[in-house]
Amino acid sequence: MIRRARGTKRLASKLLVLSGPLKDSTIPLAEGEITIGREGTNGISVADPSVSRKHCQIIGADGRFRMRDLESRNGTLVNGTAVAEHWLRHGDMIAAGDSSFLFLSEDPGLAASAGEVEFDNSQFSSETTIIHPRDVVYLQPEKLCEELRSSSSVARNLNALLKISRVVHAIRDVGDLQSQLLDLIFEVVPANRAAILLADRENREFNSMFARMREPGKAALVTVSRTVARQVLDQGVAVLGGDVRSHDNLKQVESLATAQIRSLLCVPLTVFQRVVGCIYLDSDTLSARLNEEHLELVTAIAGISAVALQNARRLQWLEEENQRLALAMTEDRALVGDGPNMRAIYQFLMRVGPADSTVLIEGESGTGKELAARAIHRNSSRANEVFMAINCAAIPESLLESDLFGHERGAFTGAASLKRGRLELADGGVVFLDEIAELALPLQVKLLRVLQEREFERVGGTRPIKVDIRLIAATNQNLEQAVRNGTFRQDLYYRLAVLKVTMPSLRNRREDIPMLVRHFVQKHAKRCKVKPRPVSPQALACLVNYDWPGNVRELENAVERALVLGSSDMIRPEDLPETVLERTPPPEMTEAKYHSAIKELKKQLILNAVEQTQGSYAEAARLLGVHPNYLHRLIRNLELKEALRESLCDIQARGLNGLSGGNA
């Protein structure tokens, strides 16, 4: 039985799947068009109901790739922003439904084309030349001196080893390194075909295979005996088949016979006493048969290049892992939604991102103001620089000035050393000031100077410090009203509101709730180490029907609670917070008798308490044993305002009637 594996050619571009049904897979991209969608006819088929049948398309031409949305239902996002068409850059994150892809692009010019490796499982005895690397003359200084005096070929081979050592330790890319190494081996060994096989961490399988032909541009298919490769990997020995045709067992291997292989060798790649792979060579020319001298030379080459190969491989893994972690963090901080309100937000973020203007983001708490700020940062020329987030309401006023601007040594009691402020530390990047309305008036003056002159002075300092920053501010208050009230400087407001956007509340974009719920189920199932569960139609109807005063943050908490505390195979209404269930259900939903009875009991208790206290909500709350704010929330959620108004009117009418009767 033959198993064929594609060589690890360094691809010009590829997609690394970060989430969704195809998670952790890698998809190579080539010239031409490839579609992503739910249908099986797509080049990348994603079994995900949130992905449209034909969702988006990636088009490659002249080494560049662009993504085009195919009028998908939920839209296609690049770096958290919905786009119709976008030229892809290295590190871009594409989101289609609940699936996300990391676009990786590399310069393919350095690496020659790789071929395929074919494993042959035929069994044969080890009637071949076998040596251990420790016996190789090139790795034994004493024997090497003797050989140098008696053989000119040894000196030639030493020069080759020196050249190979100099080259392989100067290359960091694993694809380039393998290509260069095989080219150098071809210079000193008369092999026609070659392959480098690298094993997985457990040494169970070869998970990286790179094949080359001596003749440039010729497609390579290198047949490797699995028995020989396993022997080299398991025992750490070098194996030579010097005459395949006369070998009773090797000549029976059909693939070797078909390729007319005359000789072959396979040597181990050893790092710190552990075999991590092997180098395989073969020749189909009788006059250029591989011999024991070639075996010793290639074993020495493997000895000096194994560490370089392992280091390059680990570096590649670390870079990909770093990209994966960075994009996973970005994914957690991405805006989610595809309704008209969010599409308008995406268009705004896409247009203001490349600019360097100051942005003011308004909106209720929990609407994603910081996520919008991060999206602007990701889509700007400062994307690789620092993003400094500062909550003006979370730091005491007495410390905020020092925190923002820094202080000189001895500026005040306790200032034992110079401290650089956050604005100074963010030089070159983006500063996000959340809850900007909480900034005290003296600090507003200093911030105004930063916006006007891009300079400030540390506390206790006299020397102006220049900074290159982009400022993004956010608030959940009405700054225009604060200006009228005199609590916020008008000149600072106009400096901040160069570009202004208001994040929509969740009750004004209910169409996004199903997508948000799916996103939070996947996110918190992984974080809380529980199995993702579907949301029942009844529970989803409750979530869509609720007003969400805490916006997206409150929805996220509700989904996390349901995942952790839910006891069935799906999220049901009883898994949701009571506040969600207190709302009157939509007409299309049949409410469970239990929840309906509890709701009616709450309504009756509140009505009775308000009647007993003659319409005093504070007294009614005391009578019920709850906080007045909680009572007001219950009245709002249970939609009791009209019923209470009628009840109070009745109370007043009865009082007037009683008064009239008494006067009579």
Side-chain angles (χ1 to χ4, degrees), residues 502-520:
T502 300
M503 298 299 294
S505 61
L506 190 54
R507 60 184 171 276
N508 291 327
R509 58 181 189 108
R510 297 179 190 272
E511 66 278 2
D512 292 332
I513 290 178
M515 183 186 294
L516 284 162
V517 170
R518 288 195 303 269
H519 172 74
F520 291 139

Side-chain angles (χ1 to χ4, degrees), residues 555-566:
L555 173 63
E556 181 174 5
N557 292 341
V559 172
E560 183 179 0
R561 175 187 185 277
L563 272 174
V564 174
L565 298 181

Side-chain angles (χ1 to χ4, degrees), residues 45 67 135 232 263 327 478 497 504 578 627 647 659:
S45 179
M67 190 285 305
D135 299 325
V232 172
S263 56
L327 266 295
N478 187 330
E578 285 292 322
H627 193 278
S647 177
L659 183 61

